[in-house]
C-alpha cells in the first residue's frame, strides 16, 4: 500500500499542479501560481508554508512505512480500511481536477491582492465555495488510510489546519474586498467545504478562488 500511495501522490501532483498549470498557461499566459501571502510569521504566511510542509510530510509517511521506519496504527490496518482509502484517494484526484477545470481562467494557487478574477458560482462551485480544497482533503484522507501511520495522521492534521487558515485568513477576506455583496450573497447560499454547512452570509472575512 505504501508504494500505491506514493504513486497516487505522484498522479495528484502531475494532474493537480503540473498539468493544470500547463493548461492555465496555454489559455492565459500565466501558470496561475501566486506564491505565499503575508509577512514571515503571519497567519497568511503560516497557511502557505503549512500547506507545503503538509505535502512533504504526507509524501514522507508512505516512504517511512515502506522502509519500516514507522508502522501503521494497529486498529487501522484492516484491508477494508486501506481499500476505502484507495477509493477516496482516487475520488479526490478526480474531484480536484474537475473542480479546477470548473474554475476556468480564474484558477489560481495563492492570492494576488492586485488582481481581480471572476467570482465562479457555477458547476461544483454552486454546491460548495471551496470544492478544490474539499477534494484535496478527500484525497489526503484517502492516502492517510492507505498508510495509517502517525506521520500520515500528522500530515493530514497539518493540511486540514492550513487549509482552514488559507480560506479564512487569506482567500475569504480577499474575495469580500474584491466582490463585495456578490460574495456575501454567495456565502449565504453556499457552504464553505460541504453543501449547506458553513453558509455564513460572509460575516467572516472571505476568499479568492485560489485553487
Amino acid at each position: 500500500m505504501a508504494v500505491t500511495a506514493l504513486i497516487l501522490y505522484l498522479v495528484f501532483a502531475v494532474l493537480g499542479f503540473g498539468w493544470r498549470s500547463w493548461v492555465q498557461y496555454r489559455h492565459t499566459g500565466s501558470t496561475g501560481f501566486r506564491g505565499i501571502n503575508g509577512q514571515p510569521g503571519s497567519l497568511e504566511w503560516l497557511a502557505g508554508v503549512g500547506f507545503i510542509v503538509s505535502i512533504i510530510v504526507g509524501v514522507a509517511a508512505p516512504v517511512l512505512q515502506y522502509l519500516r521506519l514507522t508502522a501503521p496504527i494497529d486498529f487501522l490496518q484492516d484491508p477494508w480500511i486501506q481499500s476505502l482509502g484507495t477509493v477516496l484517494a482516487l475520488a479526490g484526484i478526480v474531484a480536484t481536477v474537475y473542480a479546477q477545470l470548473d474554475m476556468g481562467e480564474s484558477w489560481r494557487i495563492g492570492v494576488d491582492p492586485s488582481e481581480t478574477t471572476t467570482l465562479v458560482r457555477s458547476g461544483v462551485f454552486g454546491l460548495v465555495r471551496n470544492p478544490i480544497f474539499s477534494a484535496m482533503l478527500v484525497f489526503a484522507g484517502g492516502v492517510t488510510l492507505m498508510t495509517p501511520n502517525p506521520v500520515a495522521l500528522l500530515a493530514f492534521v497539518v493540511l486540514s489546519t492550513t487549509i482552514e487558515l488559507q480560506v479564512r485568513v487569506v482567500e475569504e477576506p480577499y474575495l469580500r474586498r474584491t466582490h463585495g455583496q456578490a460574495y456575501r450573497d454567495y456565502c449565504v447560499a453556499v457552504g464553505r467545504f460541504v453543501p449547506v454547512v458553513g453558509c455564513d452570509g460572509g460575516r467572516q472575512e472571505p476568499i479568492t478562488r485560489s485553487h
Side-chain angles (χ1 to χ4, degrees), residues 11-76:
V11 172
F12 180 83
V14 169
L15 294 180
F17 295 100
W19 176 77
R20 184 61 184 87
S21 296
W22 176 74
V23 170
Q24 186 76 1
Y25 182 78
R26 282 190 59 198
H27 290 168
T28 68
S30 168
T31 61
F33 282 87
R34 296 296 181 265
I36 296 173
N37 295 90
Q39 296 297 317
S42 67
L43 289 177
E44 293 89 343
W45 181 84
L46 287 173
V49 171
F51 183 82
I52 295 171
V53 169
S54 70
I55 297 300
I56 294 173
V57 177
V59 171
V63 173
L64 292 174
Q65 185 166 313
Y66 179 76
L67 296 175
R68 300 184 184 279
L69 297 176
T70 187
I73 298 170
D74 287 340
F75 72 91
L76 294 176

Side-chain angles (χ1 to χ4, degrees), residues 181-195:
Q181 190 58 45
Y183 183 72
R184 291 180 174 86
D185 292 342
Y186 183 39
C187 290
V188 171
V190 179
R192 182 177 278 113
F193 294 112
V194 296

